[in-house]
Amino acid sequence: MTSPLQQKLKVTGPVVVTANRLGDGAVVYRAADGTWTKDLAVAVVVTTTPAALELLAAATTEKVAVVDAYVAPVELTTQQQVLPGNLRERIRSSGPTVALPGQG
Amino acid sequence: MPLVKAGRIVEDRFVRVVDDAPVPDGAAAILPAARFLADAHELVLRQAPIGVVWPNDRKVAELAPYLDWIALVALVFPNFRDGCAYSQARLLRERYHFRGELRATGQILRDQCLFLQRAGFDAFELTKAADAPAFVAAVQRYSVFYQPAADGRASTLTARLARVPQHSPS
Amino acid sequence: MYIYDDFDRTLVQERVREFGDQVNRRLSGELTEEEFKPLRLMNGVYLQLHAYMLRIAIPYGTLSSDQMRMLAHVARRYDRNYGHFTTRQNIQFNWIKLKELPDAMADLARAGLHGMQTSGNCVRNVTTDQWAGVAPDEIEDPRIWAELLRQHLTLHPEFSFLPRKFKVALTAAAHDRAAVKIHDIGLRMHRNGAGETGFEVIVGGGLGRTPFIGKTIKPFLPKRDLLSYVEAIMRTYNQYGRRDNIYKARMKILVHELGAEKFAGEVEEEWQSIKDGPLALDPAVVADIAARFRYPQYELLADNPSELARAREDNRFRLWLDNSVTNHKVAGYAIVTLSLKPEGGPPGDATAAQMDTIAELADRYSHGEIRVGHEQNLALPHVAQRDLPTLWRALDGIGVATPNVNLISDIIACPGLDYCSLANARSIPVAEEITRRFRDLDLARNVGPLHINISGCINACGHHHIGHIGILGVEKNGEEYYQVTLGGRADDSAELGTILGPAVPYAEIADVVEDIATAYLELRARPGELFVDTVQRVGVDPFRERVYAAR
Ligand code: SF4
């Protein structure tokens, strides 16, 4: 997958703005109140290019809270539940797809 | 953009001359490389000090014939990840024995000042004002140097030689 | 083992303090991410998909038991109880927090470990033969020269902001285990006609998007000139390497564009001006570094002690002995490889508990020394043969005695999309599935020595181009696909693999590998003809036909 950081922005479905938190690298999403959340369900979802650009512009003014903000696809279920939109985003949100050694 | 020399913020006594503008009489002036080379034979006869901005994609060997008459060479870091001018600086100092001011210009961070100093620079146009007061601490951060460079600091290559007898059987 | 002196210790501590200051300036916003990124990379810190990743250098693949314990400590205290050994004699921790990095680095520094120059556009960890100092086929210990180079190129004021990363590898053995031909600079120690030892200098090798096998520019370089000649190469590259296009910035492109001869000429000219300067190596300096390498006091032992003969009656032990134990240059001793490729596990990972046990076993059976090889396995380099049966039971107990070294399930794989932010596709689950398909050791042994290398993208961290079977993750319409190459090799007759055919989807890649193995068993001239030799003899077409016939 082309690194999302280099993508030309053309929004054709629901998207969110995501980044990694500066202090610990954790995956976070832009929330409606302008904060960052680890919970995708709380993320602002937009569906048009101008709205995504606006959200991204606001997010990239943040120089300390997060690193490398970008627009990522999501899927909305029929119950309006928000899910990551591709494999990369699924892995970012729920971790590696393989069992991690040395756990438990 | 503060100019730091010998660890202190100093006034820049050189005037920058752009392209074809006249060279001010009696004032220290820095010229672009092409302009300098075009008029070099006259310029070196001037009384006031002359300096050159040398781009990082041009061989410093071209400048070698004039170095005795030049007071300042400004080398360029187009961004702080582009390290081409480190080599130019060492060549100017070590190969061509340039003794004048060697100035680092462009994008430079305090975290690079020690490397710059070791490569032979002695004047630094720091990108960030806050880096100027931190300069002295930044260049004193290390006390051990693994390799000889243009700054005359002793390297471990010679320091280790000094203690070799300790290893021979007594 | 190289033992740090005061200089080495001081420098690492000063580096840790400097980095701590840089992290604080980043956290306070004084440094932007753009400014901080090259600084953190030079300390081995990446930002990956889920967290920061810290890469620690294991110079020339030699670790002491105390260092291994420190790695276990860092895994426990700052990470999630495991680490990943890479193809370049490094270890990576995947879940480090930026705020805790300065503390982790200070702890590592106490054991003489650091992340200096394990990333970024500078000279990376110098690698060598993981069996240096114990291999029967080496002419001398290459680590002394690797250490001289490591020091010279550490925090080098001129070469810390190169056009791109720069990798150096060194071998002194008849059989190249350091893959010197795929490095920016590869050095092969050998004797010239006059019986002197020196270096063949090979430049411009590398994998990635545009793979090249390196070219020899100096057949014989005297030892005293090692540093000055490398300096001349680096200076040529730093000045003329391209900075306008990240894909053309590696030295291999410069060598290719100029031509090896012209490049050699530039280097030679530069070298002539500096060869008799301060970089000419004084034998006393070399002796001083050499004296800091400690070698075990070996006992006088005979090969094949009676303990071995008895233990051989156990079939499992015999399988392991034949597979994972190699000759040592000293009689009565052996080199033992620890497979980090268990069935169904991620290649190259070790847990904190395994690291601690391995450290303890190294103390008891290997003079406190451990090696890390580019195949992502570990080794205990000084084991008395009589101890092999006891050691084997202990290794088996912690899951690092799978007798699959050099076999099809001894897979080299990069972290891929499970961790890496640059990846196209996953590597680890592909590797895990292949190990399950070849869990039957009789089958794996029948197939014989076969290296599979998997990279999750064209950056080729898994060295897929030189895998006997190379697997490269690509993306097609948002799905994971894999391109397969055959016939690559990293040894003395280094060769890049040939593409087998169209990329195949995730669900089919393990089947394809099975088909290739089956085709090989049919195509080989006789049992014992190596897979790569069969590929070389018959070409990839017969494999292509069989693999794609059913697809
Ligand atoms: S090869 Fe690509 S996916 Fe694998 S670790 Fe390297 S950059 Fe990441």
Side-chain angles (χ1 to χ4, degrees), chain C residues 414-417 420-425 427 455-462:
Chain C
C414 79
L417 190 56
C420 176
S421 56
L422 303 171
N424 289 320
S427 305
S455 303
C457 80
I458 194 68
N459 285 326
C461 303

Side-chain angles (χ1 to χ4, degrees), chain C residues 131 134 320-321 323-328 333-339 365-366 369-371 377-385 387-388 391-392 395 400-401 405:
Chain C
W131 293 345
V134 292
W320 173 79
L321 183 72
N323 172 267
S324 306
V325 180
T326 317
N327 292 340
H328 194 283
Y333 283 83
I335 307 170
V336 174
T337 300
L338 281 50
S339 169
Y365 300 112
S366 180
E369 203 177 303
I370 300 142
R371 299 295 177 88
N377 289 321
L378 301 176
L380 295 177
H382 316 286
V383 179
Q385 291 172 12
D387 294 333
L388 287 169
L391 175 63
W392 169 67
L395 295 175
V400 295
V405 174

Side-chain angles (χ1 to χ4, degrees), chain C residues 92-169:
Chain C
Q92 295 177 177
F93 294 108
N94 290 302
W95 304 94
I96 295 257
K97 298 182 171 66
L98 184 63
K99 336 180 250 218
E100 293 183 0
L101 264 165
D103 290 338
M105 288 194 177
D107 287 356
L108 288 161
R110 283 193 278 121
L113 290 166
H114 61 80
M116 277 189 280
Q117 298 179 201
T118 54
S119 178
N121 295 338
C122 49
V123 185
R124 304 290 186 83
N125 190 21
V126 175
T127 55
T128 63
D129 189 343
Q130 70 258 33
W131 293 345
V134 292
D137 63 339
E138 75 185 10
I139 56 173
E140 64 174 85
D141 190 339
R143 292 173 303 170
I144 291 155
W145 304 97
E147 177 61 19
L148 278 157
L149 279 172
R150 180 192 78 82
Q151 295 191 11
H152 180 66
L153 296 168
T154 293
L155 301 187
H156 194 298
E158 186 179 347
F159 306 133
S160 290
F161 294 90
L162 295 167
R164 199 76 175 83
K165 59 186 169 185
F166 200 93
K167 299 177 180 178
V168 183

Side-chain angles (χ1 to χ4, degrees), chain C residues 126 140-150 170 189 199 223-224 226-227 281 286 289 293:
Chain C
V126 175
E140 64 174 85
D141 190 339
R143 292 173 303 170
I144 291 155
W145 304 97
E147 177 61 19
L148 278 157
L149 279 172
R150 180 192 78 82
L170 178 65
M189 297 196 83
F199 304 90
K223 287 171 165 178
R224 85 181 266 280
L226 179 65
L227 298 186
L281 276 167
V286 180
I289 296 290
F293 279 84

Side-chain angles (χ1 to χ4, degrees), chain A residues 4-67:
Chain A
L5 307 177
Q6 288 144 23
Q7 69 195 356
K8 275 214 193 74
L9 198 58
K10 192 163 153 256
V11 173
T12 52
V15 297
V16 296
V17 165
T18 181
N20 290 83
R21 201 155 62 189
L22 176 67
D24 60 3
V27 174
V28 288
Y29 305 94
R30 188 79 171 169
D33 59 359
T35 59
W36 294 93
T37 171
K38 283 169 94 168
D39 184 1
L40 185 54
V42 185
V44 194
V45 179
V46 296
T47 50
T48 66
T49 306
L53 282 174
E54 193 181 321
L55 196 60
L56 184 62
T60 46
T61 57
E62 300 239 15
K63 302 293 185 214
V64 179
V66 298
V67 177

